[in-house]
Amino acid sequence: MDTERRAFDVMSPDCPSRSIMQRMGDKWTPLVFLALESGPRRFSQLRQDIGGVTPKVLTQTLRSLERDGLLTRTIYPEVPPRVEYELTELGATLLGPLEIIREWSQDHAEKILRARNDYDELNEV
Amino acid sequence: MDTERRAFDVMSPDCPSRSIMQRMGDKWTPLVFLALESGPRRFSQLRQDIGGVTPKVLTQTLRSLERDGLLTRTIYPEVPPRVEYELTELGATLLGPLEIIREWSQDHAEKILRARNDYDELNEV
DNA sequence: TAATATGGTTACCTAATGGATACTGAACGG
DNA sequence: CCGTTCAGTATCCATTAGGTAACCATATTA
């Protein structure tokens, strides 16, 4: 129904879709998604799945994704506490696009690293 | 042929593909790509196509993409100077994935903005 | 009493990034 | 001699990202 007019346009400086597009390229968001791909995970499981993330930053990332309705945070009133994170339906629709980006990155990493070396050799002599 | 072993794995903290994945989500890179989709463009054309980018930042972005072999920078020795940017073959392979991200962002922007509002109302009262 | 485990939060700090603004160089037009 | 065009640089400042380390609440175990 909305084929004629685009409500959002990423090329427009003030369009909110632009900030959304940016966020999905932030440092940890894609990795959180890939880790949640196969089902709900606990906080410390995510920490292990994603190498090198500090708890603070992981918390920030998760909160921000929760705020955007991309995942849910469920607290189970047990001791010790258990908190599970799970993609929402909306969040799951992002898995496809992210998987494509991931494959591209992995498939072309070698070429890019070579290009960087060539460039640096030419311009740093 | 490389179905068995992955040379690069974005889930590994030290893998270079990770930095590559991150870069394609930076603020201006996707917009540069979309602007170059239909052919070479000059510096000031890009500035206009992409709203709100300062020359310094645009230069940084373009240089970084050139370094990675994703676009070429051609200087024509004229006066006033003319510099054209054009996607390389490698760069062009990124257009598909980026287009998918763009569509996702535009299609789901409204839902996400609504989720943000709901979240903020619940947690800021 | 205290250590342990979980799932965080908070305060604090630094380095890098982003952005605004003004300026340069080189040739041409007037 | 001055202004204009193009493609950037230079300079400065504010914001942010990310990291470290300490802390909290709770119940169990010893």
Side-chain angles (χ1 to χ4, degrees), chain A residues 11, chain B residues 28-50 58-59 61-66 69-74 83-96 98-99 102:
Chain A
M11 294 300 279
Chain B
W28 303 108
T29 297
L31 306 182
V32 168
F33 269 84
L34 296 176
L36 289 177
E37 188 164 8
S38 49
R41 304 285 281 166
R42 301 177 63 172
F43 186 82
S44 38
Q45 289 177 320
L46 289 174
R47 261 188 91 177
Q48 287 177 355
D49 294 344
I50 307 165
L58 181 55
T59 298
T61 304
L62 292 170
R63 287 285 193 287
S64 156
L65 295 174
E66 188 196 1
L70 299 173
L71 54 78
T72 57
R73 178 169 176 269
T74 310
V83 179
E84 282 193 347
Y85 295 89
E86 186 170 17
L87 294 182
T88 61
E89 249 184 73
L90 179 59
T93 65
L94 240 186
L95 283 174
L98 283 174
E99 182 62 21
R102 173 169 95 159

Side-chain angles (χ1 to χ4, degrees), chain B residues 94-124:
Chain B
L94 240 186
L95 283 174
L98 283 174
E99 182 62 21
I100 288 173
I101 296 287
R102 173 169 95 159
E103 275 174 19
W104 192 95
S105 300
Q106 292 182 348
D107 292 350
H108 298 81
E110 208 166 315
K111 260 185 201 168
I112 290 177
L113 292 178
R114 227 175 314 141
R116 276 187 199 173
N117 276 336
D118 296 351
Y119 185 93
D120 291 348
E121 276 171 21
L122 278 176
N123 299 24
E124 280 181 11

Side-chain angles (χ1 to χ4, degrees), chain B residues 27-28 52 54-57 60 79 81:
Chain B
K27 188 161 182 181
W28 303 108
T54 62
K56 188 189 93 173
V57 174
Q60 284 172 352
V79 170

